[in-house]
Amino acid sequence: MRSRKKSCEPTVWPVVGMLPAVVQYLHRGHDKVTEILCECGGTYWFRGPWFGNIDMLFTSDPANIQHIFSKNFSNYPKGSEFRKKFEILGDGIFSADYELWELHRRTTLALMNQAKFYTFLERTVWQKIESGLLPVLDCFSRQGTDVDLQEIFQRFTFDNICQLVLDYDPCSLSSDLPYIPCEKAFSNALEPLFHRHLLPESIWKLQKWLNIGNEKKLAEAWTAFDDFIYPLISSKEGEQEQEESLNILTTFRNAYEENNNISFSGDLRQFLRDSLLGLLFAGRDTTSTCLTWLFWLISTNPSAQTKILEEIERELHAKESGHWRFFSIEESSKLMYLHGALCESLRLFPPLALEYKSPVRPDTLPSGHHIRQNTKLIISFYSMGRMETIWGKDCLKFKPERWISARGGIEHKPSNKFPAFNVGPRTCLGKEMSFVQMKMIAASIIYHYHIKLVEGHRVTPRDSIILQAKYGLRVSLSKRNVI
């Protein structure tokens, strides 16, 4: 007689609930949640300590996600609990609700719809590749030393988003890899924010009051953000607008002054700080994280790397011309296989691994789960990419081809199954911008270098809000025979 498979569900202990399982599996929390959700049909109640008020409903069910993010959108605002956990973001677009969120979205969309936006984006990306990325990688290649690609991508995207948003290049991507507190603060803030979701509020608030542990790290990150952004806001006051810049600061200042009917939690300077910080977060972490996992995936799947290189040479005529050339945004749309590889990276390792929601009114989810007002809901985007019910039996396989249609175009996947850019009205406005930037960076590296993972280097997801590689992505580089 075959023994019954042991359930992976955590034991509910008296008083402490499932807290012992949290401690036991904290080092691989995302994968443990995925195992439980796969076994329990995509939705599962987590029971915390009776004194902690941290019972949560985890779900990766596409029907639930469509209901929460789209069909019943008004019942699931960010809310006070989200703002409490992510207070560091202030009144930025990620934590705003209702009229304030609409103001942010409308203002950001107006900026991105400017005729010069993508021209400016294309120019700043190629300038950073030419002046920062390739020289730095050339330096490591000549020295024969390995490099952490994750750090390179984080520095690149930090410099680039600062150039776009603040019209200022902090030059963090240079051969000496300078220490810039604000650039490091983005990564340092992620783990404390993640732990705020797992710990009872009384515990993390006590840590905050005592200024110890993760809350001390978060406070230091907060200071680094303020010390970086506020002086730049001050330096731009009264400065004559440059025709070639996007004038984002001026646009948000005008939005604040023209919408005095909206309640803001702070003055103009704080509103500008919060607005800019939200854009910096979006521009640095999501793009750099996707690129990190892309290069890990193609390094462990050499045939995919070869296909991307062949596509670059074929579609951009790089081989015929005999030298590398910077390609336009329009030309980047020809790189279908690379686009599919990026989508696979986003499917398996979505930068935003978890989303927090809470209803303002009782609700019943399509899965049949009844939830009370203010119930804590954790949506696991990470688990969704690993579910056979959504992606088939080969869901764990890196397969860019799944994104290519029979006609050779990109296969559309509904956002409630592929939520890498969020779902419903809060869908990321920078989706197309991200793909353009990532294609330019990835194609430049793949065309110029052979990439090999450092032997023995462990690559595993970090348990944080943004799904970075815990120990980075260390690779060795050698130049290809290109001109």
Side-chain angles (χ1 to χ4, degrees):
M1 182 177 176
R2 289 188 302 174
S3 60
R4 189 177 178 183
K5 181 182 176 182
K6 185 179 179 181
S7 171
C8 65
E9 293 184 47
T11 301
V12 183
W13 297 96
V15 182
V16 296
M18 295 178 179
L19 189 59
V22 172
V23 175
Q24 181 181 359
Y25 295 107
L26 191 59
H27 66 289
R28 55 180 297 268
H30 291 299
D31 288 318
K32 184 61 181 178
V33 167
T34 300
E35 291 172 9
I36 296 171
L37 288 173
C38 286
E39 184 176 283
C40 298
T43 306
Y44 181 74
W45 275 108
F46 170 84
R47 304 297 183 183
W50 68 268
F51 55 84
N53 189 30
I54 57 171
D55 285 4
M56 295 176 276
L57 184 69
F58 282 80
T59 188
S60 58
D61 184 331
N64 285 348
I65 288 165
Q66 184 71 9
H67 177 86
I68 293 165
F69 287 82
S70 296
K71 292 181 178 179
N72 204 10
F73 174 74
S74 62
N75 194 34
Y76 293 89
K78 291 293 184 175
S80 58
E81 281 297 313
F82 183 96
R83 290 177 63 84
K84 193 185 300 177
K85 289 180 172 65
F86 290 91
E87 59 184 330
I88 195 170
L89 299 177
D91 276 338
I93 190 170
F94 291 118
S95 52
D97 277 318
Y98 309 117
E99 293 92 349
L100 181 55
W101 169 72
E102 290 175 358
L103 171 64
H104 273 293
R105 192 169 181 84
R106 186 169 62 247
T107 306
T108 305
L109 194 59
L111 284 165
M112 298 180 71
N113 284 338
Q114 291 183 31
K116 62 184 176 182
F117 178 81
Y118 278 96
T119 301
F120 191 66
L121 171 67
E122 184 179 314
R123 184 170 71 247
T124 56
V125 172
W126 283 129
Q127 284 177 349
K128 182 55 62 173
I129 287 174
E130 187 174 28
S131 65
L133 180 65
L134 295 180
V136 168
L137 296 183
D138 279 346
C139 180
F140 281 100
S141 177
R142 286 195 305 271
Q143 293 173 354
T145 54
D146 56 70
V147 58
D148 180 0
L149 276 186
Q150 177 168 257
E151 181 177 5
I152 297 299
F153 294 144
Q154 289 171 345
R155 289 173 178 272
F156 184 106
T157 52
F158 176 69
D159 286 354
N160 199 61
I161 195 61
C162 285
Q163 187 72 64
L164 278 170
V165 171
L166 300 168
D167 194 25
Y168 169 75
D169 186 355
C171 298
S172 70
L173 183 58
S174 58
S175 56
D176 58 341
L177 301 180
Y179 176 76
I180 297 178
C182 181
E183 191 273 325
K184 292 302 178 191
F186 285 95
S187 294
N188 293 341
L190 297 178
E191 197 168 306
L193 290 173
F194 180 73
H195 284 165
R196 281 189 172 190
H197 288 77
L198 300 178
L199 295 174
E201 184 178 328
S202 58
I203 293 180
W204 65 257
K205 279 197 167 182
L206 178 62
Q207 289 183 336
K208 180 182 177 182
W209 182 67
L210 295 173
N211 194 31
I212 59 173
N214 280 314
E215 289 300 313
K216 181 179 181 180
K217 291 181 185 178
L218 194 59
E220 290 170 349
W222 194 322
T223 299
F225 292 144
D226 289 354
D227 289 348
F228 181 78
I229 294 175
Y230 277 125
L232 285 171
I233 292 174
S234 299
S235 69
K236 300 293 181 182
E237 290 177 350
E239 186 178 285
Q240 188 173 1
E241 295 182 355
Q242 300 296 315
E243 188 174 338
E244 67 274 11
S245 70
L246 296 176
N247 303 319
I248 290 179
L249 200 64
T250 300
T251 303
F252 274 99
R253 181 182 291 112
N254 292 340
Y256 178 91
E257 293 171 347
E258 293 168 4
N259 289 272
N260 51 23
N261 59 310
I262 296 177
S263 176
F264 301 99
S265 63
D267 59 12
L268 171 61
R269 279 171 54 82
Q270 184 176 332
F271 173 76
L272 292 175
R273 176 265 186 202
D274 297 345
S275 302
L276 297 174
L277 181 59
L279 295 176
L280 294 181
F281 253 112
R284 176 193 183 267
D285 284 319
T286 54
T287 301
S288 62
T289 301
C290 178
L291 285 168
T292 298
W293 292 111
L294 170 73
F295 275 86
W296 179 71
L297 288 164
I298 64 174
S299 295
T300 53
N301 295 270
S303 63
Q305 189 173 166
T306 300
K307 289 178 182 177
I308 294 172
L309 179 60
E310 290 173 348
E311 180 180 64
I312 292 168
E313 293 175 339
R314 181 179 66 254
E315 298 298 335
L316 303 180
H317 307 292
K319 202 167 187 177
E320 294 174 18
S321 61
H323 61 85
W324 173 251
R325 65 180 181 83
F326 296 150
F327 52 88
S328 67
I329 288 175
E330 290 73 21
E331 287 177 304
S332 72
S333 63
K334 298 177 182 179
L335 302 176
M336 296 291 184
Y337 193 86
L338 176 54
H339 192 106
L342 287 165
C343 288
E344 278 291 84
S345 174
L346 289 164
R347 179 181 71 86
L348 291 166
F349 298 97
L352 186 64
L354 302 171
E355 177 74 278
Y356 173 89
K357 290 289 184 180
S358 183
V360 293
R361 298 179 300 277
D363 197 7
T364 300
L365 300 179
S367 61
H369 292 79
H370 301 281
I371 50 177
R372 297 191 300 271
Q373 177 185 3
N374 298 326
T375 296
K376 297 176 176 65
L377 292 174
I378 305 294
I379 296 88
S380 176
F381 294 158
Y382 178 88
S383 300
M384 292 186 71
R386 288 166 161 71
M387 302 199 77
E388 289 187 13
T389 53
I390 300 175
W391 296 99
K393 291 190 179 297
D394 63 351
C395 61
L396 299 181
K397 183 179 179 182
F398 176 67
K399 188 179 174 183
E401 290 81 4
R402 79 172 79 237
W403 296 91
I404 313 257
S405 69
R407 295 185 176 182
I410 297 299
E411 188 81 43
H412 171 74
K413 308 291 184 183
S415 60
N416 68 320
K417 294 184 178 181
F418 177 59
F421 294 97
N422 219 315
V423 186
R426 284 189 179 265
T427 297
C428 176
L429 295 173
K431 178 179 178 179
E432 295 307 316
M433 181 182 83
S434 297
F435 274 115
V436 166
Q437 185 176 6
M438 291 189 295
K439 286 179 181 178
M440 290 175 171
I441 297 169
S444 297
I445 296 176
I446 292 169
Y447 184 79
H448 285 93
Y449 302 98
H450 295 280
I451 306 142
K452 184 179 179 182
L453 286 173
V454 172
E455 189 175 347
H457 174 60
R458 185 183 174 198
V459 182
T460 187
R462 177 186 179 192
D463 285 316
S464 66
I465 298 299
I466 302 296
L467 201 67
Q468 298 173 341
K470 186 173 184 178
Y471 307 107
L473 180 64
R474 303 211 68 86
V475 301
S476 59
L477 302 170
S478 57
K479 291 278 286 186
R480 293 187 186 277
N481 293 321
V482 297
I483 299 175

